[in-house]
Short mmCIF file of all heavy atoms in Angstrom, two decimals:
data_model
loop_
_atom_site.label_atom_id
_atom_site.label_comp_id
_atom_site.label_asym_id
_atom_site.label_seq_id
_atom_site.Cartn_x
_atom_site.Cartn_y
_atom_site.Cartn_z
N MET A 1 98.39 138.74 138.89
CA MET A 1 97.58 137.77 138.20
C MET A 1 97.75 137.96 136.70
O MET A 1 96.91 138.53 136.03
CB MET A 1 96.12 137.96 138.58
CG MET A 1 95.78 137.55 139.94
SD MET A 1 94.24 136.71 139.72
CE MET A 1 93.86 136.20 141.29
N GLY A 2 98.84 137.47 136.19
CA GLY A 2 99.11 137.62 134.77
C GLY A 2 98.96 136.33 134.02
O GLY A 2 98.30 135.38 134.46
N GLY A 3 99.61 136.31 132.90
CA GLY A 3 99.55 135.13 132.04
C GLY A 3 100.50 134.06 132.53
O GLY A 3 101.01 134.07 133.65
N ILE A 4 100.73 133.12 131.67
CA ILE A 4 101.61 132.00 131.99
C ILE A 4 103.05 132.41 131.70
O ILE A 4 103.36 132.90 130.63
CB ILE A 4 101.22 130.77 131.15
CG1 ILE A 4 99.81 130.32 131.50
CG2 ILE A 4 102.20 129.63 131.37
CD1 ILE A 4 99.30 129.18 130.66
N GLY A 5 103.92 132.19 132.66
CA GLY A 5 105.33 132.52 132.52
C GLY A 5 106.11 131.36 131.94
O GLY A 5 105.60 130.27 131.70
N ILE A 6 107.41 131.60 131.73
CA ILE A 6 108.27 130.59 131.13
C ILE A 6 108.40 129.36 132.03
O ILE A 6 108.42 128.23 131.56
CB ILE A 6 109.65 131.18 130.77
CG1 ILE A 6 110.50 130.18 129.97
CG2 ILE A 6 110.41 131.56 132.01
CD1 ILE A 6 110.03 129.97 128.58
N TRP A 7 108.47 129.56 133.34
CA TRP A 7 108.63 128.42 134.25
C TRP A 7 107.38 127.55 134.29
O TRP A 7 107.47 126.32 134.37
CB TRP A 7 109.00 128.90 135.65
CG TRP A 7 110.39 129.47 135.65
CD1 TRP A 7 110.73 130.78 135.83
CD2 TRP A 7 111.61 128.76 135.42
NE1 TRP A 7 112.09 130.93 135.74
CE2 TRP A 7 112.66 129.70 135.49
CE3 TRP A 7 111.92 127.43 135.16
CZ2 TRP A 7 113.99 129.35 135.31
CZ3 TRP A 7 113.25 127.08 134.99
CH2 TRP A 7 114.27 128.03 135.05
N GLN A 8 106.22 128.16 134.19
CA GLN A 8 105.00 127.37 134.14
C GLN A 8 104.95 126.52 132.86
O GLN A 8 104.52 125.36 132.89
CB GLN A 8 103.75 128.26 134.22
CG GLN A 8 103.51 128.84 135.59
CD GLN A 8 104.20 130.18 135.79
OE1 GLN A 8 104.86 130.69 134.88
NE2 GLN A 8 104.08 130.75 136.97
N LEU A 9 105.39 127.10 131.74
CA LEU A 9 105.43 126.35 130.49
C LEU A 9 106.41 125.18 130.56
O LEU A 9 106.12 124.09 130.05
CB LEU A 9 105.80 127.27 129.33
CG LEU A 9 104.74 128.29 128.92
CD1 LEU A 9 105.30 129.22 127.84
CD2 LEU A 9 103.50 127.61 128.43
N VAL A 10 107.55 125.40 131.20
CA VAL A 10 108.53 124.32 131.35
C VAL A 10 107.96 123.19 132.19
O VAL A 10 108.10 122.01 131.85
CB VAL A 10 109.85 124.87 131.96
CG1 VAL A 10 110.78 123.74 132.35
CG2 VAL A 10 110.53 125.82 130.99
N ILE A 11 107.31 123.53 133.27
CA ILE A 11 106.71 122.51 134.14
C ILE A 11 105.63 121.73 133.40
O ILE A 11 105.56 120.50 133.47
CB ILE A 11 106.16 123.16 135.43
CG1 ILE A 11 107.32 123.69 136.28
CG2 ILE A 11 105.31 122.18 136.21
CD1 ILE A 11 106.89 124.55 137.44
N ILE A 12 104.80 122.42 132.64
CA ILE A 12 103.75 121.76 131.86
C ILE A 12 104.38 120.83 130.82
O ILE A 12 103.92 119.69 130.63
CB ILE A 12 102.83 122.80 131.20
CG1 ILE A 12 102.01 123.52 132.27
CG2 ILE A 12 101.91 122.15 130.16
CD1 ILE A 12 101.25 124.72 131.77
N ALA A 13 105.44 121.29 130.15
CA ALA A 13 106.11 120.46 129.14
C ALA A 13 106.69 119.19 129.77
O ALA A 13 106.58 118.10 129.21
CB ALA A 13 107.21 121.25 128.45
N VAL A 14 107.31 119.32 130.94
CA VAL A 14 107.88 118.15 131.62
C VAL A 14 106.78 117.17 131.99
O VAL A 14 106.92 115.95 131.81
CB VAL A 14 108.70 118.60 132.86
CG1 VAL A 14 109.06 117.42 133.73
CG2 VAL A 14 109.95 119.35 132.43
N ILE A 15 105.68 117.66 132.50
CA ILE A 15 104.57 116.78 132.89
C ILE A 15 104.01 116.06 131.66
O ILE A 15 103.74 114.85 131.70
CB ILE A 15 103.47 117.58 133.62
CG1 ILE A 15 103.99 118.05 134.98
CG2 ILE A 15 102.20 116.75 133.78
CD1 ILE A 15 103.08 119.01 135.70
N VAL A 16 103.85 116.77 130.55
CA VAL A 16 103.33 116.15 129.33
C VAL A 16 104.28 115.07 128.82
O VAL A 16 103.86 113.98 128.42
CB VAL A 16 103.07 117.23 128.25
CG1 VAL A 16 102.83 116.61 126.88
CG2 VAL A 16 101.90 118.11 128.64
N ILE A 17 105.59 115.36 128.86
CA ILE A 17 106.58 114.37 128.42
C ILE A 17 106.55 113.14 129.32
O ILE A 17 106.63 112.00 128.85
CB ILE A 17 107.99 115.00 128.37
CG1 ILE A 17 108.06 115.98 127.20
CG2 ILE A 17 109.06 113.93 128.21
CD1 ILE A 17 109.32 116.82 127.16
N LEU A 18 106.41 113.35 130.62
CA LEU A 18 106.35 112.22 131.54
C LEU A 18 105.08 111.39 131.34
O LEU A 18 105.11 110.16 131.44
CB LEU A 18 106.42 112.71 132.99
CG LEU A 18 107.78 113.24 133.45
CD1 LEU A 18 107.67 113.82 134.85
CD2 LEU A 18 108.83 112.16 133.39
N LEU A 19 103.97 112.04 131.04
CA LEU A 19 102.71 111.32 130.85
C LEU A 19 102.68 110.53 129.54
O LEU A 19 102.26 109.36 129.52
CB LEU A 19 101.52 112.29 130.88
CG LEU A 19 101.14 112.86 132.24
CD1 LEU A 19 100.04 113.90 132.07
CD2 LEU A 19 100.67 111.75 133.17
N PHE A 20 103.09 111.14 128.46
CA PHE A 20 102.93 110.52 127.15
C PHE A 20 104.20 109.87 126.62
O PHE A 20 104.13 108.95 125.81
CB PHE A 20 102.44 111.56 126.12
CG PHE A 20 101.08 112.08 126.41
CD1 PHE A 20 100.90 113.38 126.86
CD2 PHE A 20 99.97 111.28 126.26
CE1 PHE A 20 99.64 113.87 127.13
CE2 PHE A 20 98.70 111.76 126.51
CZ PHE A 20 98.53 113.05 126.96
N GLY A 21 105.36 110.35 127.01
CA GLY A 21 106.61 109.83 126.47
C GLY A 21 106.96 110.50 125.16
O GLY A 21 106.10 110.98 124.43
N THR A 22 108.25 110.49 124.86
CA THR A 22 108.71 111.20 123.66
C THR A 22 108.29 110.49 122.38
O THR A 22 108.03 111.14 121.37
CB THR A 22 110.24 111.34 123.68
OG1 THR A 22 110.84 110.05 123.83
CG2 THR A 22 110.69 112.24 124.83
N LYS A 23 108.20 109.16 122.40
CA LYS A 23 107.81 108.43 121.20
C LYS A 23 106.39 108.77 120.78
O LYS A 23 106.10 109.02 119.61
CB LYS A 23 107.91 106.93 121.47
CG LYS A 23 108.70 106.17 120.46
CD LYS A 23 108.76 104.71 120.82
CE LYS A 23 109.90 104.07 120.09
NZ LYS A 23 110.00 102.66 120.36
N LYS A 24 105.50 108.78 121.74
CA LYS A 24 104.10 109.07 121.42
C LYS A 24 103.94 110.53 120.99
O LYS A 24 103.17 110.82 120.07
CB LYS A 24 103.22 108.78 122.64
CG LYS A 24 101.76 108.75 122.33
CD LYS A 24 100.98 108.09 123.42
CE LYS A 24 99.60 107.77 122.94
NZ LYS A 24 98.88 106.91 123.84
N LEU A 25 104.66 111.43 121.64
CA LEU A 25 104.58 112.84 121.24
C LEU A 25 105.13 113.05 119.83
O LEU A 25 104.59 113.84 119.06
CB LEU A 25 105.34 113.72 122.24
CG LEU A 25 104.70 113.88 123.61
CD1 LEU A 25 105.61 114.69 124.52
CD2 LEU A 25 103.34 114.54 123.49
N ARG A 26 106.19 112.33 119.48
CA ARG A 26 106.74 112.42 118.14
C ARG A 26 105.72 111.92 117.12
O ARG A 26 105.54 112.51 116.06
CB ARG A 26 108.03 111.61 118.04
CG ARG A 26 108.74 111.81 116.71
CD ARG A 26 110.05 111.02 116.62
NE ARG A 26 110.92 111.30 117.74
CZ ARG A 26 111.47 110.35 118.51
NH1 ARG A 26 111.22 109.08 118.28
NH2 ARG A 26 112.25 110.69 119.51
N GLY A 27 105.05 110.83 117.44
CA GLY A 27 104.01 110.30 116.54
C GLY A 27 102.85 111.26 116.38
O GLY A 27 102.33 111.44 115.27
N ILE A 28 102.45 111.89 117.47
CA ILE A 28 101.36 112.87 117.41
C ILE A 28 101.78 114.06 116.54
O ILE A 28 101.01 114.55 115.72
CB ILE A 28 100.97 113.34 118.83
CG1 ILE A 28 100.29 112.20 119.58
CG2 ILE A 28 100.06 114.56 118.76
CD1 ILE A 28 100.08 112.49 121.06
N GLY A 29 103.03 114.50 116.71
CA GLY A 29 103.53 115.61 115.90
C GLY A 29 103.58 115.28 114.42
O GLY A 29 103.22 116.09 113.56
N THR A 30 104.00 114.05 114.11
CA THR A 30 104.06 113.61 112.72
C THR A 30 102.67 113.54 112.12
O THR A 30 102.44 113.99 110.99
CB THR A 30 104.74 112.23 112.64
OG1 THR A 30 106.04 112.31 113.22
CG2 THR A 30 104.86 111.75 111.20
N ASP A 31 101.73 112.98 112.87
CA ASP A 31 100.35 112.89 112.38
C ASP A 31 99.74 114.27 112.17
O ASP A 31 99.05 114.52 111.18
CB ASP A 31 99.49 112.09 113.35
CG ASP A 31 99.87 110.63 113.40
OD1 ASP A 31 100.55 110.16 112.48
OD2 ASP A 31 99.49 109.96 114.38
N LEU A 32 99.99 115.17 113.10
CA LEU A 32 99.46 116.52 113.00
C LEU A 32 100.07 117.25 111.80
O LEU A 32 99.36 117.92 111.04
CB LEU A 32 99.73 117.30 114.29
CG LEU A 32 99.16 118.70 114.38
CD1 LEU A 32 97.65 118.66 114.31
CD2 LEU A 32 99.60 119.37 115.67
N GLY A 33 101.37 117.09 111.60
CA GLY A 33 102.03 117.72 110.45
C GLY A 33 101.49 117.19 109.14
O GLY A 33 101.27 117.94 108.18
N GLY A 34 101.27 115.88 109.06
CA GLY A 34 100.71 115.29 107.85
C GLY A 34 99.30 115.78 107.57
O GLY A 34 98.92 116.01 106.43
N ALA A 35 98.53 115.93 108.64
CA ALA A 35 97.15 116.43 108.48
C ALA A 35 97.15 117.87 107.97
O ALA A 35 96.36 118.22 107.08
CB ALA A 35 96.40 116.33 109.79
N ILE A 36 98.02 118.68 108.50
CA ILE A 36 98.10 120.08 108.06
C ILE A 36 98.56 120.15 106.60
O ILE A 36 98.03 120.93 105.81
CB ILE A 36 99.04 120.89 108.99
CG1 ILE A 36 98.39 121.03 110.36
CG2 ILE A 36 99.36 122.25 108.39
CD1 ILE A 36 99.31 121.63 111.41
N LYS A 37 99.55 119.31 106.25
CA LYS A 37 100.04 119.29 104.88
C LYS A 37 98.93 118.86 103.92
O LYS A 37 98.76 119.46 102.85
CB LYS A 37 101.22 118.32 104.78
CG LYS A 37 101.91 118.31 103.46
CD LYS A 37 103.12 117.39 103.51
CE LYS A 37 103.86 117.37 102.19
NZ LYS A 37 105.02 116.48 102.25
N GLY A 38 98.17 117.85 104.30
CA GLY A 38 97.06 117.41 103.46
C GLY A 38 95.98 118.47 103.32
O GLY A 38 95.40 118.64 102.24
N PHE A 39 95.71 119.18 104.41
CA PHE A 39 94.72 120.25 104.37
C PHE A 39 95.16 121.37 103.43
O PHE A 39 94.37 121.85 102.61
CB PHE A 39 94.49 120.80 105.77
CG PHE A 39 93.52 121.93 105.83
CD1 PHE A 39 92.16 121.71 105.72
CD2 PHE A 39 93.97 123.24 105.99
CE1 PHE A 39 91.26 122.75 105.76
CE2 PHE A 39 93.08 124.29 106.04
CZ PHE A 39 91.72 124.05 105.92
N LYS A 40 96.43 121.76 103.52
CA LYS A 40 96.93 122.82 102.64
C LYS A 40 96.86 122.40 101.18
O LYS A 40 96.52 123.19 100.30
CB LYS A 40 98.37 123.17 103.01
CG LYS A 40 98.50 123.98 104.27
CD LYS A 40 99.94 124.34 104.54
CE LYS A 40 100.09 125.17 105.79
NZ LYS A 40 101.49 125.53 106.03
N LYS A 41 97.20 121.12 100.91
CA LYS A 41 97.15 120.62 99.54
C LYS A 41 95.71 120.63 99.02
O LYS A 41 95.46 121.01 97.88
CB LYS A 41 97.72 119.22 99.47
CG LYS A 41 97.78 118.67 98.09
CD LYS A 41 98.35 117.28 98.05
CE LYS A 41 98.33 116.79 96.60
NZ LYS A 41 98.43 115.35 96.53
N ALA A 42 94.76 120.23 99.87
CA ALA A 42 93.36 120.21 99.46
C ALA A 42 92.85 121.62 99.17
O ALA A 42 92.12 121.83 98.19
CB ALA A 42 92.51 119.56 100.54
N VAL A 43 93.25 122.58 99.99
CA VAL A 43 92.83 123.96 99.76
C VAL A 43 93.43 124.48 98.46
O VAL A 43 92.75 125.14 97.67
CB VAL A 43 93.23 124.85 100.96
CG1 VAL A 43 93.06 126.32 100.64
CG2 VAL A 43 92.42 124.47 102.18
N LYS A 44 94.71 124.16 98.22
CA LYS A 44 95.37 124.61 97.00
C LYS A 44 94.72 123.98 95.78
O LYS A 44 94.46 124.66 94.78
CB LYS A 44 96.86 124.24 97.04
CG LYS A 44 97.64 124.72 95.87
CD LYS A 44 99.10 124.34 96.00
CE LYS A 44 99.88 124.76 94.77
NZ LYS A 44 101.26 124.30 94.81
N ASP A 45 94.43 122.69 95.84
CA ASP A 45 93.76 122.01 94.73
C ASP A 45 92.37 122.59 94.49
O ASP A 45 91.94 122.74 93.35
CB ASP A 45 93.66 120.51 94.98
CG ASP A 45 95.01 119.82 94.91
OD1 ASP A 45 95.96 120.43 94.40
OD2 ASP A 45 95.10 118.66 95.37
N ASP A 46 91.66 122.90 95.56
CA ASP A 46 90.33 123.48 95.44
C ASP A 46 90.40 124.84 94.76
O ASP A 46 89.57 125.16 93.92
CB ASP A 46 89.66 123.58 96.80
CG ASP A 46 88.21 124.00 96.70
OD1 ASP A 46 87.50 123.44 95.84
OD2 ASP A 46 87.79 124.89 97.46
N ASN A 47 91.41 125.64 95.13
CA ASN A 47 91.57 126.96 94.50
C ASN A 47 91.87 126.81 93.02
O ASN A 47 91.38 127.58 92.19
CB ASN A 47 92.68 127.76 95.18
CG ASN A 47 92.25 128.29 96.53
OD1 ASN A 47 91.07 128.36 96.84
ND2 ASN A 47 93.22 128.66 97.35
N ASN A 48 92.70 125.82 92.66
CA ASN A 48 93.02 125.61 91.24
C ASN A 48 91.80 125.19 90.46
O ASN A 48 91.59 125.65 89.35
CB ASN A 48 94.13 124.56 91.10
CG ASN A 48 95.48 125.09 91.56
OD1 ASN A 48 95.69 126.29 91.64
ND2 ASN A 48 96.38 124.18 91.87
N THR A 49 90.98 124.31 91.01
CA THR A 49 89.78 123.88 90.30
C THR A 49 88.76 125.00 90.19
O THR A 49 88.06 125.10 89.20
CB THR A 49 89.13 122.65 90.96
OG1 THR A 49 88.83 122.96 92.31
CG2 THR A 49 90.03 121.44 90.89
N THR A 50 88.72 125.86 91.20
CA THR A 50 87.80 127.00 91.14
C THR A 50 88.22 127.95 90.04
O THR A 50 87.38 128.48 89.31
CB THR A 50 87.76 127.74 92.48
OG1 THR A 50 87.73 126.82 93.54
CG2 THR A 50 86.55 128.63 92.59
N GLU A 51 89.53 128.17 89.90
CA GLU A 51 90.02 129.05 88.84
C GLU A 51 89.72 128.45 87.48
O GLU A 51 89.37 129.14 86.53
CB GLU A 51 91.51 129.30 89.01
CG GLU A 51 91.84 130.18 90.20
CD GLU A 51 93.33 130.32 90.43
OE1 GLU A 51 94.11 129.86 89.57
OE2 GLU A 51 93.72 130.88 91.45
N LEU A 52 89.87 127.12 87.36
CA LEU A 52 89.58 126.48 86.08
C LEU A 52 88.10 126.56 85.75
O LEU A 52 87.72 126.67 84.59
CB LEU A 52 90.03 125.01 86.11
CG LEU A 52 91.53 124.76 86.10
CD1 LEU A 52 91.82 123.28 86.25
CD2 LEU A 52 92.15 125.29 84.83
N ASP A 53 87.24 126.48 86.75
CA ASP A 53 85.81 126.57 86.53
C ASP A 53 85.41 127.95 86.01
O ASP A 53 84.45 128.08 85.26
CB ASP A 53 85.04 126.27 87.81
CG ASP A 53 85.15 124.81 88.23
OD1 ASP A 53 85.53 123.98 87.39
OD2 ASP A 53 84.86 124.52 89.40
N LYS A 54 86.16 128.97 86.41
CA LYS A 54 85.83 130.34 86.01
C LYS A 54 86.21 130.61 84.56
O LYS A 54 85.65 131.49 83.92
CB LYS A 54 86.55 131.35 86.91
CG LYS A 54 86.01 131.37 88.33
CD LYS A 54 86.78 132.37 89.16
CE LYS A 54 86.31 132.38 90.60
NZ LYS A 54 87.09 133.30 91.44
N LYS A 55 87.21 129.87 84.04
CA LYS A 55 87.67 130.12 82.69
C LYS A 55 86.69 129.54 81.68
O LYS A 55 86.03 128.54 81.92
CB LYS A 55 89.05 129.49 82.48
CG LYS A 55 90.13 130.17 83.28
CD LYS A 55 91.47 129.57 82.98
CE LYS A 55 92.56 130.29 83.76
NZ LYS A 55 93.88 129.74 83.46
N SER A 56 86.66 130.17 80.52
CA SER A 56 85.78 129.68 79.46
C SER A 56 86.43 128.50 78.75
O SER A 56 87.65 128.36 78.75
CB SER A 56 85.51 130.80 78.45
OG SER A 56 86.70 131.12 77.77
N PRO A 57 85.65 127.65 78.13
CA PRO A 57 86.21 126.49 77.42
C PRO A 57 87.18 126.89 76.30
O PRO A 57 88.14 126.20 76.04
CB PRO A 57 84.98 125.79 76.84
CG PRO A 57 83.84 126.23 77.69
CD PRO A 57 84.20 127.61 78.16
N GLU A 58 86.93 128.04 75.67
CA GLU A 58 87.80 128.49 74.59
C GLU A 58 89.20 128.84 75.13
O GLU A 58 90.20 128.53 74.50
CB GLU A 58 87.21 129.72 73.88
CG GLU A 58 85.94 129.44 73.11
CD GLU A 58 84.71 129.41 74.01
OE1 GLU A 58 84.74 130.00 75.10
OE2 GLU A 58 83.72 128.78 73.62
N SER A 59 89.24 129.50 76.28
CA SER A 59 90.55 129.87 76.83
C SER A 59 91.31 128.64 77.29
O SER A 59 92.53 128.58 77.19
CB SER A 59 90.39 130.86 77.98
OG SER A 59 89.68 130.27 79.06
N LEU A 60 90.60 127.61 77.77
CA LEU A 60 91.26 126.37 78.17
C LEU A 60 91.85 125.66 76.96
O LEU A 60 92.95 125.12 77.01
CB LEU A 60 90.28 125.45 78.91
CG LEU A 60 89.85 125.90 80.29
CD1 LEU A 60 88.78 124.97 80.83
CD2 LEU A 60 91.03 125.94 81.24
N LYS A 61 91.12 125.67 75.82
CA LYS A 61 91.63 125.06 74.60
C LYS A 61 92.88 125.79 74.12
O LYS A 61 93.83 125.17 73.67
CB LYS A 61 90.56 125.07 73.51
CG LYS A 61 89.45 124.10 73.75
CD LYS A 61 88.43 124.19 72.62
CE LYS A 61 87.23 123.30 72.90
NZ LYS A 61 86.19 123.44 71.86
N ALA A 62 92.87 127.11 74.22
CA ALA A 62 94.01 127.90 73.79
C ALA A 62 95.23 127.60 74.66
O ALA A 62 96.35 127.47 74.17
CB ALA A 62 93.69 129.39 73.84
N GLU A 63 95.03 127.44 75.97
CA GLU A 63 96.14 127.13 76.87
C GLU A 63 96.70 125.75 76.56
O GLU A 63 97.91 125.54 76.57
CB GLU A 63 95.68 127.19 78.33
CG GLU A 63 95.48 128.58 78.84
CD GLU A 63 95.02 128.59 80.29
OE1 GLU A 63 95.01 127.52 80.93
OE2 GLU A 63 94.69 129.67 80.78
N LYS A 64 95.84 124.78 76.26
CA LYS A 64 96.30 123.43 75.95
C LYS A 64 97.09 123.42 74.66
O LYS A 64 98.09 122.74 74.54
CB LYS A 64 95.10 122.47 75.85
CG LYS A 64 94.51 122.12 77.18
CD LYS A 64 93.36 121.16 77.02
CE LYS A 64 92.70 120.86 78.34
NZ LYS A 64 91.54 119.97 78.19
N SER A 65 96.66 124.18 73.67
CA SER A 65 97.37 124.19 72.38
C SER A 65 98.73 124.90 72.53
O SER A 65 99.68 124.53 71.87
CB SER A 65 96.54 124.87 71.31
OG SER A 65 96.34 126.25 71.63
N GLU A 66 98.83 125.88 73.42
CA GLU A 66 100.09 126.56 73.66
C GLU A 66 101.09 125.63 74.34
O GLU A 66 102.28 125.67 74.06
CB GLU A 66 99.89 127.80 74.53
CG GLU A 66 99.19 128.92 73.82
CD GLU A 66 98.89 130.10 74.76
OE1 GLU A 66 99.30 130.03 75.92
OE2 GLU A 66 98.26 131.05 74.31
N THR A 67 100.63 124.78 75.24
CA THR A 67 101.54 123.90 75.95
C THR A 67 102.01 122.75 75.06
O THR A 67 103.07 122.18 75.31
CB THR A 67 100.87 123.31 77.20
OG1 THR A 67 99.67 122.66 76.84
CG2 THR A 67 100.58 124.41 78.22
N LYS A 68 101.27 122.38 74.04
CA LYS A 68 101.66 121.30 73.15
C LYS A 68 102.82 121.72 72.23
O LYS A 68 103.59 120.90 71.79
CB LYS A 68 100.49 120.85 72.28
CG LYS A 68 99.45 120.08 73.04
CD LYS A 68 98.33 119.63 72.15
CE LYS A 68 97.26 118.88 72.93
NZ LYS A 68 96.16 118.48 72.06
N ASP A 69 102.94 123.00 71.93
CA ASP A 69 103.98 123.49 71.00
C ASP A 69 105.34 123.42 71.59
O ASP A 69 105.79 123.36 72.55
CB ASP A 69 103.69 124.93 70.57
CG ASP A 69 102.42 125.00 69.72
OD1 ASP A 69 102.08 123.97 69.11
OD2 ASP A 69 101.79 126.07 69.69
#
């Protein structure tokens, strides 16, 4: 009484492909990938805004003046 073996996974994959079709599975994969990409971008943007919130206004002015040169 162990876990799922390779043959059980193959059978499950075949059944899923037969039920949904490759086109629908490809669409689901694309949607899922886009959602994950959007989530990662939102987390990254949130981290950047949190870091900016921690900085003092004087240090932000100094950084802006350095980038203008």
Side-chain angles (χ1 to χ4, degrees):
M1 288 222 179
I4 297 176
I6 188 72
W7 291 111
Q8 287 89 1
L9 290 175
V10 170
I11 292 170
I12 292 170
V14 169
I15 291 171
V16 167
I17 289 171
L18 289 174
L19 287 174
F20 295 109
T22 55
K23 231 179 199 182
K24 193 163 194 169
L25 289 176
R26 187 179 306 128
I28 291 171
T30 303
D31 292 342
L32 184 62
I36 291 171
K37 186 176 181 180
F39 178 75
K40 285 183 179 181
K41 183 180 178 199
V43 169
K44 183 179 176 185
D45 290 345
D46 187 46
N47 285 343
N48 289 340
T49 57
T50 317
E51 289 175 8
L52 289 175
D53 291 343
K54 290 179 182 177
K55 292 183 179 181
S56 67
E58 293 81 23
S59 64
L60 290 174
K61 287 180 185 176
E63 286 180 8
K64 286 181 183 178
S65 64
E66 289 175 4
T67 56
K68 288 182 181 178
D69 293 336

